[in-house]
Amino acid sequence: MVLVGSAAMYTKELDAVVFHKEPAADVSKSLFSFRLWFSTISVLLLLAVIVVRKDGFDLIALGCIVSTLLIMSRQMYTMFENRRLVLELEEKVLQRTEELLQKNKELENSTEQAKFLAGHDPLTGLPNRREFDRVAAEWAANSKNFALLFIDMDRFKWVNDTMNHGVGDLLLRQVAERLQANIKLEGRVFRQGGDEFLILLPSTDVRKVEAAVDELVQALEQVFHLHGKEVFVSASVGISSYPKDAKDVELLTIKADIAMYAAKKSPGKRWLFYDESLHPVEQSKLEMEKEMRYGLERGEFLLHFQPLYRLDIDTVAGAEVLMRWNHPKQGLLPPNQFIPLAEESRFIVRLGNWLIREVCRQWHDWRDQGYEPISLAVNISVNQFLHPEFVAELEAALREFDMDPAYLELEITENIPFCDAHAIAVLAHISQLGVRMSIDDFGTGYSSLQYIQRLPVHTLKIDRAFVYDMMQNRNNRVLVETILVMANQLELDVIAEGVEEQEQLHFLKEKGCTFVQGYLIGKPVAAEEFRLRWLG
Ligand code: C2E
Ligand code: CA
Ligand code: CA
């Protein structure tokens, strides 16, 4: 009986077994441990002694023996059952832990990947513009002297247009590799976007920088093998120095960009250092350009919408999107106060691409809110139109917001070189997408209607300059009339801009003009106001 009692002392240890580090192995081992069986064996021995001695062995003793054995077997059964459950549980816990570890690892990987993607360009694997801003700011904060190289490929556009699209990507990847492989002085390479790259060199020694640039330019002038074709390209490089040219990274980049542009335009020069004579603009303009770049990041640009009114069915058929800049100090600026400067600096490409995405997003939102779809017209600058990535950006925006291309209209001016092969290819591509096109400010340029008719253009917008005084000025009235008659023959739509008076509206309607736009119908207003006044 003492032994039976002492066996109970082990139960605590057995409970603890479950929490042991490797419980599964221990539990099964403990089933065969001598200590566990000790009490059982003792009782069995005791019963055996009772049976063997035979004295006083009667029915009561037999009953005792049988019930003790029954109790014991019941206990054994419970014990085995417990073990089985514990083992099962352990196995499940192990399995689950493994799954969790796996999930954790996956999560870690994807977080790392997201972090990498945020700072890197997916095509070339190079750190991107955002990463550049971070690193350059860090170098500047450590008051290092460094040079900034702005690199732009010279014949990329040609490669991209004449060969298929994949070739352009391949070329960019190989260019990135060559830059990485040939960079000296522990420089760092970044992709700015398109066919532009940025390099930070931790030196401002003119001779050292020149030697490094020379090596890069030569490396890029070696033959590229692209899908079995041999291709030669070259690059133009603009160089600015910190802190000599600017103490601010954004301004430093703009100056390197200016130098690059100057190098591209001067024959025989493959690189140029920035100096004030390259770009005789006032400091105030450069400041403004910097503010624009920051403004875009801070969401200071917004869209206004002016109704396009359809006369034959008396409804608002769409809107022209006009950009505004909510300047932190100067308030709401009209486009003529910033678009010309943006065009000069080529910042217009970024700004314009941003605008197209916003337009697609707005169209999608109104659609989502259940309004009938309206067409939206966007002004496109020449440089934006001619940029090698323009069509790709346009396509991506349409796809991202699931916008029906038939509702997008691009307003281009006659300044676009309609005889240029690239411009013609872009026009064809846009029309293939199903996007409509109109000629803005028609009548102020020199293109003939004959010529325009051969282009995939759907609409002419008669410039405000002819409309505003046409009721008083006979010349302008005749001109408007003539445009209407000819456009009608050529099956082009016409929008008369700048309609401010009822009289003008009557005249235009009488002469068969289908669309009008002007303060008489409505001024450009913000999206929400446009929705309230003109939609639904
Ligand atoms: P636009 O394309 O000829 O746009 C029409 C301009 O005429 C707008 O000026 C509009 O507010 C104004 N307007 C409309 N109806 C009337 C009227 O009845 N009377 C008068 N006096 N004016 C009227 P806004 O918004 O100042 O735009 C000026 C120019 O800026 C535009 O001329 C366009 O060339 C350019 N622009 C505007 N937004 C953009 C843009 O997003 N990208 C580009 N590249 N250029 C833009
Ligand atoms: Ca326009
Ligand atoms: Ca116009």
Side-chain angles (χ1 to χ4, degrees), residues 51-288:
V51 172
V52 170
R53 274 177 53 196
K54 278 194 184 141
D55 54 47
F57 182 75
D58 52 14
L59 275 178
I60 293 182
L62 190 67
C64 278
I65 292 170
V66 170
S67 34
T68 310
L69 284 175
L70 281 176
I71 290 170
M72 274 173 61
S73 54
R74 169 72 197 157
Q75 209 177 7
M76 294 292 216
Y77 174 75
T78 314
M79 201 165 75
F80 275 105
E81 194 60 15
N82 266 348
R83 290 310 129 117
R84 199 181 56 76
L85 287 175
V86 166
L87 282 175
E88 221 168 72
L89 190 70
E90 280 312 316
E91 200 155 307
K92 280 204 178 127
V93 167
L94 269 182
Q95 208 177 326
R96 193 78 195 112
T97 314
E98 219 153 87
E99 274 173 25
L100 282 177
L101 280 176
Q102 179 72 18
K103 281 260 150 63
N104 215 9
K105 199 163 205 175
E106 277 169 23
L107 193 70
E108 245 169 50
N109 281 351
S110 65
T111 322
E112 219 145 84
Q113 208 174 357
K115 240 195 238 160
F116 181 83
L117 282 180
H120 287 77
D121 156 50
L123 179 67
T124 59
L126 285 179
N128 59 16
R129 170 70 201 225
R130 186 192 293 193
E131 187 67 5
F132 165 82
D133 286 338
R134 194 185 63 75
V135 175
E138 203 177 280
W139 284 24
N142 294 338
S143 54
K144 275 192 196 175
N145 284 2
F146 62 88
L148 167 57
L149 277 46
F150 198 114
I151 303 181
D152 185 286
M153 304 308 298
D154 288 339
R155 274 152 50 86
F156 179 75
K157 196 171 78 129
W158 174 80
V159 172
N160 216 23
D161 291 348
T162 50
M163 303 185 191
N164 64 45
H165 211 68
V167 174
D169 286 354
L170 189 61
L171 175 60
L172 286 176
R173 252 183 261 141
Q174 294 193 10
V175 166
E177 276 166 26
R178 283 196 196 174
L179 289 174
Q180 289 269 52
N182 291 284
I183 184 73
K184 288 282 140 65
L185 303 171
E186 291 178 34
R188 308 234 347 224
V189 186
F190 305 82
R191 181 166 181 218
Q192 142 90 5
D195 58 345
E196 296 171 341
F197 299 86
L198 294 167
I199 289 183
L200 288 171
L201 279 182
S203 165
T204 46
D205 182 307
V206 174
R207 264 191 304 164
K208 277 192 196 161
V209 172
E210 268 187 330
V213 174
D214 191 47
E215 201 142 325
L216 288 177
V217 169
Q218 284 195 21
L220 294 180
E221 284 174 358
Q222 305 301 312
V223 62
F224 285 91
H225 297 279
L226 307 172
H227 293 324
K229 287 214 183 71
E230 296 195 335
V231 175
F232 290 91
V233 294
S234 57
S236 302
V237 186
I239 308 156
S240 60
S241 314
Y242 178 90
K244 188 179 102 271
D245 294 325
K247 291 200 180 56
D248 157 313
V249 172
E250 192 76 21
L251 205 52
L252 197 68
T253 316
I254 293 171
K255 290 189 166 176
D257 188 6
I258 290 168
M260 182 279 292
Y261 216 53
K264 205 180 266 289
K265 281 194 287 189
S266 23
K269 288 253 163 46
R270 286 172 309 175
W271 71 80
L272 273 178
F273 283 85
Y274 176 81
D275 83 71
E276 302 295 333
S277 69
L278 291 180
H279 191 65
V281 298
E282 315 91 81
Q283 196 60 27
S284 65
K285 270 195 182 175
L286 279 181
E287 277 300 319
M288 174 109 158

Side-chain angles (χ1 to χ4, degrees), residues 1 26 41 120 197 228 243 315 341 380 393 405 416-417 419 482 485:
M1 293 315 277
D26 262 20
I41 293 166
H120 287 77
F197 299 86
T315 45
L341 185 64
I380 305 292
E393 293 274 352
I416 286 177
C419 44
T482 313
V485 169

Side-chain angles (χ1 to χ4, degrees), residues 321 356 359-360 363 374-378 394 398 403-410 434-437:
V321 182
I356 289 182
V359 168
C360 293
W363 187 87
I374 59 163
S375 58
L376 294 175
V378 185
L394 179 66
L398 286 166
M403 176 168 183
D404 182 345
Y407 287 97
L408 184 64
E409 181 136 2
L410 304 183
V435 171
R436 292 170 59 90
M437 258 170 295

